[in-house]
Amino acid sequence: MQQRVFSGIQPSGVPTLGNYLGAIRNWVPMQDTHDCLYCVVDLHAITQFQKPEDLLRQTREMAAALLACGLDPERCILFVQSHVPAHAELGWLFNCVARLGWLNRMTQFKDKAGKNAENMSSGLYVYPNLMAADILLYKATSVPVGDDQKQHLELANDIAQKFNHDYGVALFPRIEPFIGATAARVMSLRDGTKKMSKSDPSDQSRINLNDADDDIANKIKRAKTDPEPLPDSLAELEKRPEARNLVGIMAAVTGREPAQVLAAHAGQGFGQFKPALADALVAHLSPIRAEMARLLEDTDALDAALRRGAEKAEAIALPILAEAKAAMGFLPRR
Ligand code: AQP
């Protein structure tokens, strides 16, 4: 049997070039080698306030973007998290298994909450428990994640182990992170030390997958850089985060290594490099944008594809949830 993979993405905005190069693009080839579930995790998105009309639009946009990037509902299960209520139910069971001390150590909560922790939703705090439920609800053993999510996977393994131990079962498997060979970390266009994020207040900080060609070119033109020309070795980019980011993006969208990009562009200033980068990005992203727009014209077909995905996901999830509840001693509904 193929390894089962689960991965999710929050509909907290339009997917960015960062989501694409760091996650979505790597999900596509996995459809041929793994048994894949890909989920638009709307329950996670509401851990930070979303206007209802935005959440609705962004959920469809995210699903359309995933399809436009090459996810194929015939080769993977693509669905919306809230369409399978078992996620929330197992999430609650895990709230009662995970220890507060474990959650207190999660650095992502501290990063997102900053000095404002008292005002954050309790959902944001227990988010890693729901993430553990997302994965273990399918007994998935492989999870494509960025570095920033590794701590959450360790927590999911702690939950699985404690559950198995406390209830004397061997129900939940061990989860392994899957770091894709081509996964790239993309940084903000305004600050090369901060990751590109779909919810960054500045639209200029990111390339959205539905940006028009002119917007892409303008954002790259205005991207923060330094006055030095491009060097001929990667080591010389160490202390130039913005330059390194743009070289990394060029490498990722043209299927080269950053060193090869430097070999081709060394000595050029950004006045020369940026238009070349904008052209490469437009060539790569405009077919995705066109396909997204086409899919969003027929929301009935899109919603139907998501419903079929949810049905397939639920068929796997419900027996596993039932096993977990039986192990805990819940009275079955008869
Ligand atoms: N800048 C990035 N570079 C590489 N990978 C990235 N990912 C996100 N940003 C970058 C990867 O995208 C996947 C889905 O992310 P998510 O939507 O679940 O949440 P996130 O990581 O918090 O992404 P954002 O865009 O920053 O969303 P917001 O702004 O809502 O918090 C993950 O695999 C992530 O590693």
Side-chain angles (χ1 to χ4, degrees), residues 113-185:
K115 293 197 179 82
N116 205 15
E118 294 285 309
N119 265 327
M120 292 293 126
S121 73
S122 42
L124 186 67
Y125 192 71
V126 294
Y127 172 120
N129 296 342
L130 181 59
M131 182 172 156
D134 296 337
I135 302 162
L136 292 168
L137 190 54
Y138 302 96
K139 296 190 184 175
T141 51
S142 189
V143 179
V145 283
D147 258 6
D148 52 337
Q149 292 289 339
K150 271 199 196 153
Q151 202 189 22
H152 288 165
L153 279 198
E154 283 160 22
L155 183 99
N157 275 325
D158 289 342
I159 292 174
Q161 221 177 30
K162 185 166 168 56
F163 186 101
N164 288 345
H165 176 267
D166 288 357
Y167 297 106
V169 289
L171 177 58
F172 294 119
R174 193 174 161 74
I175 307 163
E176 299 293 342
F178 179 95
I179 313 277
T182 55
R185 189 156 174 82

Side-chain angles (χ1 to χ4, degrees), residues 16-17 62 114 259 281:
T16 68
L17 182 68
M62 183 59 75
L281 272 170

Side-chain angles (χ1 to χ4, degrees), residues 203-237:
D203 188 57
Q204 293 297 316
S205 70
R206 60 175 173 265
I207 305 285
N208 304 307
L209 290 191
N210 66 357
D211 276 346
D213 294 350
D214 284 354
D215 292 331
I216 296 175
N218 280 326
K219 285 178 179 180
I220 293 298
K221 196 169 165 189
R222 291 202 208 117
K224 186 176 168 199
T225 42
D226 56 47
E228 302 297 318
L230 284 173
D232 54 15
S233 82
L234 281 177
E236 290 170 79
L237 283 182

Side-chain angles (χ1 to χ4, degrees), residues 9-10 12 18-19 22-23 112 184-186 195-199:
I9 186 159
Q10 300 182 64
S12 44
N19 298 131
K112 286 205 169 176
R185 189 156 174 82
V186 182
K195 80 164 184 160
M196 183 179 282
S197 259
K198 57 180 123 61
S199 62

